[in-house]
Short mmCIF file of all heavy atoms in Angstrom, two decimals:
data_model
loop_
_atom_site.label_atom_id
_atom_site.label_comp_id
_atom_site.label_asym_id
_atom_site.label_seq_id
_atom_site.Cartn_x
_atom_site.Cartn_y
_atom_site.Cartn_z
N MET A 24 7.35 -3.46 -2.46
CA MET A 24 6.62 -2.18 -2.56
C MET A 24 5.34 -2.28 -1.75
O MET A 24 4.60 -3.25 -1.89
CB MET A 24 6.31 -1.88 -4.04
CG MET A 24 5.77 -0.49 -4.26
SD MET A 24 5.53 -0.15 -6.02
CE MET A 24 7.22 0.01 -6.59
N PRO A 25 5.09 -1.33 -0.91
CA PRO A 25 3.91 -1.43 -0.06
C PRO A 25 2.61 -1.18 -0.82
O PRO A 25 2.57 -0.42 -1.78
CB PRO A 25 4.10 -0.32 0.99
CG PRO A 25 5.26 0.48 0.56
CD PRO A 25 5.87 -0.15 -0.66
N ILE A 26 1.59 -1.85 -0.33
CA ILE A 26 0.25 -1.60 -0.85
C ILE A 26 -0.48 -0.72 0.16
O ILE A 26 -0.48 -0.99 1.34
CB ILE A 26 -0.53 -2.92 -1.02
CG1 ILE A 26 0.15 -3.78 -2.08
CG2 ILE A 26 -1.98 -2.64 -1.41
CD1 ILE A 26 -0.45 -5.17 -2.18
N TYR A 27 -1.06 0.36 -0.35
CA TYR A 27 -1.79 1.27 0.50
C TYR A 27 -3.28 1.12 0.23
O TYR A 27 -3.70 1.06 -0.92
CB TYR A 27 -1.34 2.71 0.28
CG TYR A 27 0.12 2.92 0.61
CD1 TYR A 27 1.08 2.91 -0.38
CD2 TYR A 27 0.51 3.07 1.93
CE1 TYR A 27 2.42 3.07 -0.07
CE2 TYR A 27 1.84 3.23 2.25
CZ TYR A 27 2.81 3.23 1.24
OH TYR A 27 4.12 3.38 1.55
N GLU A 28 -4.03 1.08 1.32
CA GLU A 28 -5.48 0.93 1.18
C GLU A 28 -6.14 2.26 1.50
O GLU A 28 -5.76 2.94 2.45
CB GLU A 28 -5.97 -0.16 2.13
CG GLU A 28 -7.43 -0.50 1.91
CD GLU A 28 -7.85 -1.71 2.74
OE1 GLU A 28 -7.08 -2.14 3.61
OE2 GLU A 28 -8.95 -2.21 2.52
N TYR A 29 -7.10 2.61 0.70
CA TYR A 29 -7.77 3.89 0.85
C TYR A 29 -9.27 3.68 0.97
O TYR A 29 -9.83 2.74 0.42
CB TYR A 29 -7.51 4.79 -0.37
CG TYR A 29 -6.06 5.15 -0.56
CD1 TYR A 29 -5.19 4.30 -1.21
CD2 TYR A 29 -5.57 6.37 -0.10
CE1 TYR A 29 -3.86 4.62 -1.40
CE2 TYR A 29 -4.24 6.71 -0.28
CZ TYR A 29 -3.40 5.84 -0.93
OH TYR A 29 -2.08 6.16 -1.11
N ILE A 30 -9.90 4.60 1.70
CA ILE A 30 -11.36 4.63 1.77
C ILE A 30 -11.82 6.00 1.31
O ILE A 30 -11.26 7.03 1.73
CB ILE A 30 -11.87 4.33 3.19
CG1 ILE A 30 -11.65 2.87 3.55
CG2 ILE A 30 -13.36 4.68 3.31
CD1 ILE A 30 -12.17 2.49 4.92
N CYS A 31 -12.84 6.02 0.47
CA CYS A 31 -13.36 7.28 -0.04
C CYS A 31 -14.30 7.90 0.98
O CYS A 31 -15.18 7.24 1.52
CB CYS A 31 -14.10 7.02 -1.35
SG CYS A 31 -14.88 8.50 -2.01
N PHE A 32 -14.10 9.18 1.24
CA PHE A 32 -15.00 9.89 2.15
C PHE A 32 -16.39 10.02 1.56
O PHE A 32 -17.38 10.06 2.27
CB PHE A 32 -14.46 11.30 2.44
CG PHE A 32 -13.28 11.31 3.37
CD1 PHE A 32 -12.07 11.84 2.96
CD2 PHE A 32 -13.38 10.82 4.67
CE1 PHE A 32 -10.98 11.86 3.81
CE2 PHE A 32 -12.30 10.85 5.53
CZ PHE A 32 -11.09 11.36 5.10
N ASP A 33 -16.46 10.12 0.27
CA ASP A 33 -17.73 10.45 -0.37
C ASP A 33 -18.62 9.24 -0.59
O ASP A 33 -19.80 9.26 -0.28
CB ASP A 33 -17.48 11.16 -1.71
CG ASP A 33 -16.84 12.53 -1.52
OD1 ASP A 33 -17.07 13.12 -0.44
OD2 ASP A 33 -16.13 12.99 -2.42
N CYS A 34 -18.06 8.17 -1.15
CA CYS A 34 -18.89 7.01 -1.48
C CYS A 34 -18.53 5.79 -0.65
O CYS A 34 -19.23 4.80 -0.69
CB CYS A 34 -18.80 6.69 -2.97
SG CYS A 34 -17.21 6.01 -3.49
N GLY A 35 -17.47 5.88 0.12
CA GLY A 35 -17.14 4.79 1.03
C GLY A 35 -16.47 3.61 0.37
O GLY A 35 -16.22 2.60 1.01
N SER A 36 -16.14 3.71 -0.90
CA SER A 36 -15.52 2.58 -1.56
C SER A 36 -14.07 2.43 -1.10
O SER A 36 -13.38 3.41 -0.81
CB SER A 36 -15.61 2.73 -3.07
OG SER A 36 -14.59 3.56 -3.56
N LYS A 37 -13.65 1.19 -1.00
CA LYS A 37 -12.28 0.88 -0.62
C LYS A 37 -11.51 0.41 -1.84
O LYS A 37 -12.04 -0.33 -2.66
CB LYS A 37 -12.25 -0.22 0.45
CG LYS A 37 -12.77 0.24 1.80
CD LYS A 37 -12.86 -0.91 2.77
CE LYS A 37 -11.48 -1.43 3.15
NZ LYS A 37 -11.54 -2.48 4.19
N PHE A 38 -10.28 0.87 -1.93
CA PHE A 38 -9.45 0.38 -3.01
C PHE A 38 -8.00 0.41 -2.56
O PHE A 38 -7.65 1.02 -1.55
CB PHE A 38 -9.65 1.19 -4.29
CG PHE A 38 -9.29 2.66 -4.16
CD1 PHE A 38 -8.07 3.12 -4.60
CD2 PHE A 38 -10.19 3.55 -3.60
CE1 PHE A 38 -7.73 4.45 -4.48
CE2 PHE A 38 -9.86 4.89 -3.47
CZ PHE A 38 -8.63 5.35 -3.92
N GLU A 39 -7.17 -0.28 -3.30
CA GLU A 39 -5.77 -0.39 -2.94
C GLU A 39 -4.90 0.17 -4.04
O GLU A 39 -5.23 0.07 -5.24
CB GLU A 39 -5.39 -1.85 -2.70
CG GLU A 39 -6.09 -2.43 -1.49
CD GLU A 39 -5.81 -3.91 -1.35
OE1 GLU A 39 -5.33 -4.53 -2.32
OE2 GLU A 39 -6.06 -4.45 -0.27
N LEU A 40 -3.81 0.78 -3.64
CA LEU A 40 -2.85 1.26 -4.60
C LEU A 40 -1.47 0.74 -4.22
O LEU A 40 -1.10 0.73 -3.05
CB LEU A 40 -2.81 2.80 -4.60
CG LEU A 40 -4.02 3.53 -5.18
CD1 LEU A 40 -3.84 5.03 -5.02
CD2 LEU A 40 -4.23 3.17 -6.64
N LEU A 41 -0.76 0.31 -5.23
CA LEU A 41 0.61 -0.13 -5.02
C LEU A 41 1.51 1.06 -5.35
O LEU A 41 1.57 1.51 -6.49
CB LEU A 41 0.91 -1.31 -5.94
CG LEU A 41 2.22 -2.05 -5.73
CD1 LEU A 41 2.25 -2.72 -4.37
CD2 LEU A 41 2.39 -3.11 -6.81
N ARG A 42 2.15 1.57 -4.32
CA ARG A 42 2.93 2.79 -4.53
C ARG A 42 4.29 2.63 -3.87
O ARG A 42 4.44 1.96 -2.87
CB ARG A 42 2.24 4.00 -3.91
CG ARG A 42 0.77 4.13 -4.23
CD ARG A 42 0.19 5.39 -3.66
NE ARG A 42 -0.01 6.38 -4.71
CZ ARG A 42 -0.53 7.59 -4.51
NH1 ARG A 42 -0.85 7.97 -3.30
NH2 ARG A 42 -0.69 8.42 -5.50
N SER A 43 5.24 3.32 -4.45
CA SER A 43 6.53 3.35 -3.81
C SER A 43 6.46 4.28 -2.60
O SER A 43 5.54 5.08 -2.47
CB SER A 43 7.59 3.85 -4.78
OG SER A 43 7.37 5.20 -5.10
N LEU A 44 7.44 4.17 -1.74
CA LEU A 44 7.44 4.98 -0.54
C LEU A 44 7.45 6.46 -0.88
O LEU A 44 6.85 7.28 -0.19
CB LEU A 44 8.64 4.64 0.34
CG LEU A 44 8.58 3.27 1.03
CD1 LEU A 44 9.86 3.03 1.81
CD2 LEU A 44 7.38 3.15 1.94
N SER A 45 8.11 6.82 -1.95
CA SER A 45 8.20 8.22 -2.33
C SER A 45 6.86 8.75 -2.82
O SER A 45 6.63 9.95 -2.84
CB SER A 45 9.27 8.42 -3.39
OG SER A 45 8.94 7.68 -4.55
N GLU A 46 6.00 7.83 -3.23
CA GLU A 46 4.68 8.24 -3.72
C GLU A 46 3.60 8.13 -2.66
O GLU A 46 2.46 8.50 -2.89
CB GLU A 46 4.27 7.37 -4.92
CG GLU A 46 5.12 7.57 -6.16
CD GLU A 46 4.72 6.61 -7.27
OE1 GLU A 46 4.43 5.44 -6.96
OE2 GLU A 46 4.71 7.03 -8.43
N ALA A 47 3.97 7.60 -1.51
CA ALA A 47 2.97 7.24 -0.50
C ALA A 47 2.14 8.43 -0.05
O ALA A 47 0.97 8.29 0.26
CB ALA A 47 3.65 6.59 0.70
N ASP A 48 2.76 9.58 0.01
CA ASP A 48 2.06 10.75 0.54
C ASP A 48 1.45 11.61 -0.55
O ASP A 48 0.88 12.67 -0.28
CB ASP A 48 3.02 11.59 1.38
CG ASP A 48 3.41 10.86 2.65
OD1 ASP A 48 2.57 10.12 3.19
OD2 ASP A 48 4.56 11.03 3.10
N LYS A 49 1.57 11.16 -1.76
CA LYS A 49 0.93 11.92 -2.84
C LYS A 49 -0.59 11.80 -2.76
O LYS A 49 -1.13 10.86 -2.20
CB LYS A 49 1.41 11.40 -4.21
CG LYS A 49 2.82 11.83 -4.55
CD LYS A 49 3.15 11.41 -5.97
CE LYS A 49 4.55 11.87 -6.37
NZ LYS A 49 4.90 11.42 -7.73
N GLU A 50 -1.23 12.79 -3.34
CA GLU A 50 -2.68 12.79 -3.36
C GLU A 50 -3.21 11.58 -4.12
O GLU A 50 -2.67 11.19 -5.15
CB GLU A 50 -3.19 14.06 -4.04
CG GLU A 50 -2.96 15.33 -3.23
CD GLU A 50 -3.91 15.42 -2.06
OE1 GLU A 50 -5.07 15.05 -2.22
OE2 GLU A 50 -3.47 15.86 -0.98
N ALA A 51 -4.26 11.01 -3.57
CA ALA A 51 -4.96 9.95 -4.28
C ALA A 51 -6.42 10.34 -4.36
O ALA A 51 -6.91 11.13 -3.55
CB ALA A 51 -4.81 8.62 -3.55
N SER A 52 -7.10 9.82 -5.33
CA SER A 52 -8.53 10.10 -5.44
C SER A 52 -9.28 8.80 -5.64
O SER A 52 -8.72 7.80 -6.08
CB SER A 52 -8.81 11.08 -6.58
OG SER A 52 -8.35 10.56 -7.80
N CYS A 53 -10.56 8.84 -5.32
CA CYS A 53 -11.40 7.66 -5.38
C CYS A 53 -11.45 7.10 -6.79
O CYS A 53 -11.60 7.85 -7.76
CB CYS A 53 -12.80 8.02 -4.89
SG CYS A 53 -13.97 6.67 -5.03
N SER A 54 -11.35 5.79 -6.88
CA SER A 54 -11.42 5.15 -8.19
C SER A 54 -12.84 5.15 -8.75
O SER A 54 -13.05 4.89 -9.92
CB SER A 54 -10.88 3.72 -8.11
OG SER A 54 -11.65 2.96 -7.19
N GLN A 55 -13.81 5.42 -7.87
CA GLN A 55 -15.21 5.39 -8.31
C GLN A 55 -15.73 6.79 -8.62
O GLN A 55 -16.33 7.03 -9.65
CB GLN A 55 -16.08 4.75 -7.21
CG GLN A 55 -15.69 3.33 -6.87
CD GLN A 55 -15.88 2.38 -8.03
OE1 GLN A 55 -16.88 2.43 -8.74
NE2 GLN A 55 -14.91 1.51 -8.26
N CYS A 56 -15.52 7.72 -7.69
CA CYS A 56 -16.15 9.03 -7.84
C CYS A 56 -15.12 10.16 -7.84
O CYS A 56 -15.48 11.32 -7.92
CB CYS A 56 -17.17 9.26 -6.72
SG CYS A 56 -16.42 9.54 -5.10
N TYR A 57 -13.86 9.80 -7.75
CA TYR A 57 -12.77 10.78 -7.73
C TYR A 57 -12.85 11.73 -6.54
O TYR A 57 -12.33 12.83 -6.57
CB TYR A 57 -12.71 11.57 -9.05
CG TYR A 57 -12.58 10.67 -10.26
CD1 TYR A 57 -13.68 10.37 -11.03
CD2 TYR A 57 -11.35 10.09 -10.57
CE1 TYR A 57 -13.57 9.51 -12.12
CE2 TYR A 57 -11.24 9.24 -11.65
CZ TYR A 57 -12.35 8.96 -12.43
OH TYR A 57 -12.23 8.11 -13.49
N GLY A 58 -13.50 11.26 -5.49
CA GLY A 58 -13.61 12.06 -4.28
C GLY A 58 -12.36 11.96 -3.43
O GLY A 58 -11.39 11.27 -3.77
N GLN A 59 -12.41 12.62 -2.29
CA GLN A 59 -11.29 12.63 -1.37
C GLN A 59 -11.21 11.29 -0.64
O GLN A 59 -12.22 10.74 -0.21
CB GLN A 59 -11.46 13.76 -0.36
CG GLN A 59 -10.25 13.92 0.55
CD GLN A 59 -10.42 15.05 1.55
OE1 GLN A 59 -11.51 15.62 1.69
NE2 GLN A 59 -9.36 15.39 2.26
N VAL A 60 -10.01 10.78 -0.50
CA VAL A 60 -9.84 9.49 0.14
C VAL A 60 -8.88 9.61 1.31
O VAL A 60 -8.09 10.53 1.40
CB VAL A 60 -9.30 8.43 -0.86
CG1 VAL A 60 -10.30 8.20 -1.98
CG2 VAL A 60 -7.95 8.86 -1.41
N GLU A 61 -9.00 8.64 2.21
CA GLU A 61 -8.11 8.56 3.35
C GLU A 61 -7.34 7.25 3.29
O GLU A 61 -7.91 6.19 3.05
CB GLU A 61 -8.91 8.62 4.65
CG GLU A 61 -8.02 8.50 5.89
CD GLU A 61 -8.83 8.48 7.17
OE1 GLU A 61 -9.97 8.01 7.16
OE2 GLU A 61 -8.31 8.94 8.18
N ARG A 62 -6.05 7.32 3.53
CA ARG A 62 -5.25 6.10 3.57
C ARG A 62 -5.48 5.43 4.91
O ARG A 62 -5.34 6.05 5.95
CB ARG A 62 -3.76 6.45 3.39
CG ARG A 62 -2.92 5.24 3.02
CD ARG A 62 -1.50 5.65 2.70
NE ARG A 62 -0.74 5.82 3.94
CZ ARG A 62 0.36 6.55 4.01
NH1 ARG A 62 0.82 7.18 2.98
NH2 ARG A 62 1.01 6.66 5.14
N VAL A 63 -5.82 4.17 4.88
CA VAL A 63 -6.25 3.51 6.11
C VAL A 63 -5.29 2.42 6.58
O VAL A 63 -5.15 2.18 7.77
CB VAL A 63 -7.67 2.93 5.99
CG1 VAL A 63 -8.67 4.06 5.97
CG2 VAL A 63 -7.80 2.06 4.77
N VAL A 64 -4.67 1.74 5.69
CA VAL A 64 -3.86 0.59 6.09
C VAL A 64 -2.57 0.57 5.28
O VAL A 64 -2.56 0.95 4.11
CB VAL A 64 -4.60 -0.75 5.85
CG1 VAL A 64 -3.73 -1.94 6.23
CG2 VAL A 64 -5.89 -0.80 6.64
N SER A 65 -1.51 0.15 5.90
CA SER A 65 -0.33 -0.15 5.12
C SER A 65 -0.02 -1.63 5.26
O SER A 65 0.07 -2.15 6.35
CB SER A 65 0.86 0.69 5.59
OG SER A 65 1.15 0.44 6.94
N VAL A 66 0.09 -2.27 4.15
CA VAL A 66 0.36 -3.71 4.14
C VAL A 66 1.71 -3.93 3.49
O VAL A 66 1.95 -3.47 2.38
CB VAL A 66 -0.71 -4.48 3.36
CG1 VAL A 66 -0.38 -5.96 3.33
CG2 VAL A 66 -2.08 -4.24 3.96
N CYS A 67 2.55 -4.60 4.20
CA CYS A 67 3.87 -4.86 3.65
C CYS A 67 3.85 -6.06 2.73
O CYS A 67 3.35 -7.12 3.08
CB CYS A 67 4.87 -5.13 4.78
SG CYS A 67 5.39 -3.64 5.59
N VAL A 68 4.36 -5.87 1.57
CA VAL A 68 4.57 -7.00 0.66
C VAL A 68 6.03 -6.98 0.27
O VAL A 68 6.49 -6.07 -0.41
CB VAL A 68 3.68 -6.90 -0.58
CG1 VAL A 68 3.96 -8.07 -1.50
CG2 VAL A 68 2.21 -6.86 -0.19
N SER A 69 6.73 -7.95 0.71
CA SER A 69 8.13 -8.03 0.33
C SER A 69 8.31 -9.16 -0.68
O SER A 69 7.51 -10.08 -0.74
CB SER A 69 9.01 -8.26 1.56
OG SER A 69 8.64 -9.46 2.21
N PHE A 70 9.33 -9.04 -1.46
CA PHE A 70 9.57 -10.03 -2.48
C PHE A 70 10.90 -10.72 -2.21
O PHE A 70 11.90 -10.07 -1.93
CB PHE A 70 9.61 -9.39 -3.87
CG PHE A 70 8.26 -8.86 -4.29
CD1 PHE A 70 7.84 -7.61 -3.91
CD2 PHE A 70 7.42 -9.65 -5.06
CE1 PHE A 70 6.59 -7.13 -4.30
CE2 PHE A 70 6.17 -9.18 -5.45
CZ PHE A 70 5.76 -7.93 -5.07
N SER A 71 10.87 -12.01 -2.29
CA SER A 71 12.10 -12.75 -2.09
C SER A 71 12.35 -13.65 -3.29
O SER A 71 11.42 -14.08 -3.96
CB SER A 71 12.03 -13.58 -0.80
OG SER A 71 11.00 -14.55 -0.92
N LYS A 72 13.58 -13.90 -3.54
CA LYS A 72 13.94 -14.79 -4.64
C LYS A 72 13.81 -16.23 -4.20
O LYS A 72 14.36 -16.63 -3.19
CB LYS A 72 15.38 -14.53 -5.07
CG LYS A 72 15.64 -13.10 -5.52
CD LYS A 72 15.16 -12.87 -6.94
CE LYS A 72 15.60 -11.48 -7.43
NZ LYS A 72 15.15 -11.24 -8.81
N ASP A 73 13.06 -16.99 -4.97
CA ASP A 73 13.03 -18.41 -4.67
C ASP A 73 14.12 -19.13 -5.47
O ASP A 73 14.92 -18.51 -6.15
CB ASP A 73 11.64 -19.01 -4.90
CG ASP A 73 11.25 -18.97 -6.38
OD1 ASP A 73 12.13 -18.72 -7.22
OD2 ASP A 73 10.07 -19.19 -6.68
N GLY A 74 14.09 -20.45 -5.39
CA GLY A 74 15.17 -21.23 -5.98
C GLY A 74 15.30 -21.05 -7.48
O GLY A 74 16.39 -21.16 -8.04
N SER A 75 14.18 -20.75 -8.16
CA SER A 75 14.21 -20.62 -9.60
C SER A 75 14.52 -19.20 -10.05
O SER A 75 14.54 -18.91 -11.24
CB SER A 75 12.87 -21.06 -10.19
OG SER A 75 11.82 -20.23 -9.73
N GLY A 76 14.74 -18.32 -9.08
CA GLY A 76 15.10 -16.96 -9.41
C GLY A 76 13.92 -16.04 -9.63
O GLY A 76 14.09 -14.88 -9.95
N GLU A 77 12.72 -16.57 -9.42
CA GLU A 77 11.55 -15.71 -9.56
C GLU A 77 11.27 -14.96 -8.27
O GLU A 77 11.54 -15.46 -7.18
CB GLU A 77 10.33 -16.57 -9.92
CG GLU A 77 10.39 -17.14 -11.33
CD GLU A 77 9.06 -17.81 -11.70
OE1 GLU A 77 8.02 -17.37 -11.21
OE2 GLU A 77 9.11 -18.78 -12.45
N SER A 78 10.73 -13.77 -8.43
CA SER A 78 10.34 -13.01 -7.25
C SER A 78 8.96 -13.45 -6.79
O SER A 78 8.03 -13.45 -7.58
CB SER A 78 10.32 -11.51 -7.56
OG SER A 78 11.62 -11.05 -7.84
N VAL A 79 8.88 -13.82 -5.56
CA VAL A 79 7.60 -14.25 -5.03
C VAL A 79 7.20 -13.33 -3.88
O VAL A 79 8.02 -12.98 -3.04
CB VAL A 79 7.66 -15.71 -4.53
CG1 VAL A 79 7.83 -16.66 -5.70
CG2 VAL A 79 8.79 -15.90 -3.54
N PRO A 80 5.95 -12.91 -3.86
CA PRO A 80 5.50 -12.04 -2.77
C PRO A 80 5.42 -12.81 -1.46
O PRO A 80 5.00 -13.96 -1.43
CB PRO A 80 4.10 -11.59 -3.22
CG PRO A 80 3.66 -12.61 -4.22
CD PRO A 80 4.90 -13.15 -4.86
N VAL A 81 5.86 -12.17 -0.42
CA VAL A 81 5.86 -12.78 0.90
C VAL A 81 5.12 -11.86 1.85
O VAL A 81 5.41 -10.68 1.94
CB VAL A 81 7.30 -12.99 1.41
CG1 VAL A 81 7.27 -13.58 2.82
CG2 VAL A 81 8.08 -13.90 0.47
N ALA A 82 4.14 -12.40 2.50
CA ALA A 82 3.39 -11.60 3.46
C ALA A 82 4.30 -11.20 4.62
O ALA A 82 5.15 -11.98 5.05
CB ALA A 82 2.20 -12.38 4.00
N GLY A 83 4.14 -9.99 5.07
CA GLY A 83 5.00 -9.48 6.12
C GLY A 83 4.60 -9.98 7.48
O GLY A 83 3.94 -9.30 8.24
N THR A 84 5.01 -11.19 7.77
CA THR A 84 4.69 -11.76 9.07
C THR A 84 5.96 -12.13 9.80
O THR A 84 6.67 -13.02 9.37
CB THR A 84 3.79 -13.00 8.92
OG1 THR A 84 4.43 -13.90 8.03
CG2 THR A 84 2.43 -12.63 8.39
N GLY A 85 6.22 -11.45 10.87
CA GLY A 85 7.34 -11.82 11.72
C GLY A 85 8.65 -11.18 11.31
O GLY A 85 9.30 -10.54 12.11
N SER A 86 9.03 -11.33 10.07
CA SER A 86 10.31 -10.81 9.66
C SER A 86 10.24 -9.32 9.37
O SER A 86 9.16 -8.74 9.29
CB SER A 86 10.81 -11.55 8.42
OG SER A 86 9.91 -11.37 7.36
N SER A 87 11.39 -8.74 9.19
CA SER A 87 11.41 -7.31 8.92
C SER A 87 10.82 -7.00 7.57
O SER A 87 10.82 -7.82 6.66
CB SER A 87 12.84 -6.80 9.00
OG SER A 87 13.62 -7.40 7.98
N CYS A 88 10.32 -5.80 7.44
CA CYS A 88 9.66 -5.42 6.21
C CYS A 88 10.67 -5.18 5.11
O CYS A 88 11.58 -4.38 5.25
CB CYS A 88 8.85 -4.15 6.46
SG CYS A 88 8.10 -3.50 4.96
N GLY A 89 10.49 -5.87 4.00
CA GLY A 89 11.42 -5.71 2.90
C GLY A 89 11.25 -4.40 2.17
O GLY A 89 12.12 -3.97 1.43
N SER A 90 10.11 -3.75 2.37
CA SER A 90 9.84 -2.51 1.66
C SER A 90 10.40 -1.30 2.37
O SER A 90 10.93 -0.39 1.77
CB SER A 90 8.34 -2.32 1.47
OG SER A 90 7.84 -3.38 0.66
N CYS A 91 10.25 -1.25 3.68
CA CYS A 91 10.64 -0.06 4.41
C CYS A 91 11.83 -0.31 5.33
O CYS A 91 12.40 0.61 5.87
CB CYS A 91 9.47 0.48 5.23
SG CYS A 91 8.94 -0.61 6.55
N GLY A 92 12.22 -1.56 5.51
CA GLY A 92 13.36 -1.86 6.35
C GLY A 92 13.08 -1.79 7.82
O GLY A 92 13.98 -1.98 8.63
N ALA A 93 11.85 -1.52 8.19
CA ALA A 93 11.53 -1.46 9.60
C ALA A 93 11.41 -2.86 10.17
O ALA A 93 11.23 -3.83 9.46
CB ALA A 93 10.21 -0.71 9.81
N THR A 94 11.50 -2.95 11.47
CA THR A 94 11.39 -4.24 12.11
C THR A 94 9.95 -4.66 12.30
O THR A 94 9.67 -5.81 12.59
CB THR A 94 12.09 -4.22 13.48
OG1 THR A 94 11.52 -3.17 14.26
CG2 THR A 94 13.57 -4.01 13.33
N SER A 95 9.04 -3.73 12.12
CA SER A 95 7.63 -4.04 12.23
C SER A 95 6.88 -3.45 11.08
O SER A 95 7.09 -2.31 10.71
CB SER A 95 7.06 -3.48 13.55
OG SER A 95 5.66 -3.62 13.54
N CYS A 96 5.97 -4.23 10.51
CA CYS A 96 5.19 -3.73 9.38
C CYS A 96 4.22 -2.65 9.81
O CYS A 96 3.67 -1.96 8.97
CB CYS A 96 4.44 -4.89 8.72
SG CYS A 96 5.50 -5.91 7.71
N SER A 97 3.98 -2.48 11.06
CA SER A 97 3.07 -1.44 11.51
C SER A 97 3.64 -0.06 11.21
O SER A 97 2.92 0.93 11.19
CB SER A 97 2.79 -1.57 13.01
OG SER A 97 3.98 -1.36 13.74
N THR A 98 4.93 0.01 10.99
CA THR A 98 5.55 1.30 10.71
C THR A 98 5.70 1.54 9.23
O THR A 98 6.11 2.61 8.82
CB THR A 98 6.93 1.39 11.37
OG1 THR A 98 7.76 0.39 10.82
CG2 THR A 98 6.83 1.22 12.87
N CYS A 99 5.38 0.53 8.44
CA CYS A 99 5.57 0.67 7.01
C CYS A 99 4.66 1.73 6.43
O CYS A 99 3.47 1.75 6.68
CB CYS A 99 5.32 -0.66 6.32
SG CYS A 99 5.59 -0.60 4.54
N GLY A 100 5.21 2.64 5.67
CA GLY A 100 4.40 3.64 5.00
C GLY A 100 4.12 4.87 5.84
O GLY A 100 3.52 5.82 5.37
N VAL A 101 4.56 4.89 7.08
CA VAL A 101 4.37 6.06 7.93
C VAL A 101 5.35 7.14 7.54
O VAL A 101 6.53 6.84 7.37
CB VAL A 101 4.55 5.71 9.41
CG1 VAL A 101 4.49 6.97 10.26
CG2 VAL A 101 3.49 4.72 9.84
ZN1 ZN B 23 -15.72 7.70 -3.96
#
């Protein structure tokens, strides 16, 4: 599931939200002042099963994005 980073227009605070792709375009508001925010970054976090069967987060480097299926994380969340 991708993590979306937002910056508040009003107070400038940055925060992150973990949202599904279907929620990515929904309205978000500042966690501090409830002002209008802009989505600034999409970070791919994919999960892979390790040997013990636990899901471990894997930074999206090099391989395809597990969240959006794109070949580049730069397209994730667009
Ligand atoms: Zn704010």
Side-chain angles (χ1 to χ4, degrees):
M24 189 176 288
I26 296 173
Y27 298 98
E28 187 173 11
Y29 297 83
I30 289 182
C31 176
F32 286 120
D33 293 333
C34 71
S36 82
K37 289 174 68 175
F38 62 98
E39 294 175 345
L40 290 177
L41 189 65
R42 312 184 104 179
S43 68
L44 289 178
S45 61
E46 293 176 321
D48 292 326
K49 285 186 178 178
E50 290 286 321
S52 58
C53 176
S54 60
Q55 300 296 317
C56 72
Y57 304 101
Q59 186 180 9
V60 297
E61 179 183 29
R62 197 174 81 201
V63 289
V64 178
S65 60
V66 178
C67 283
V68 178
S69 59
F70 292 85
S71 63
K72 301 281 187 180
D73 65 13
S75 63
E77 290 188 31
S78 294
V79 291
V81 177
T84 53
S86 61
S87 64
C88 175
S90 296
C91 66
T94 56
S95 171
C96 283
S97 64
T98 62
C99 182
V101 174

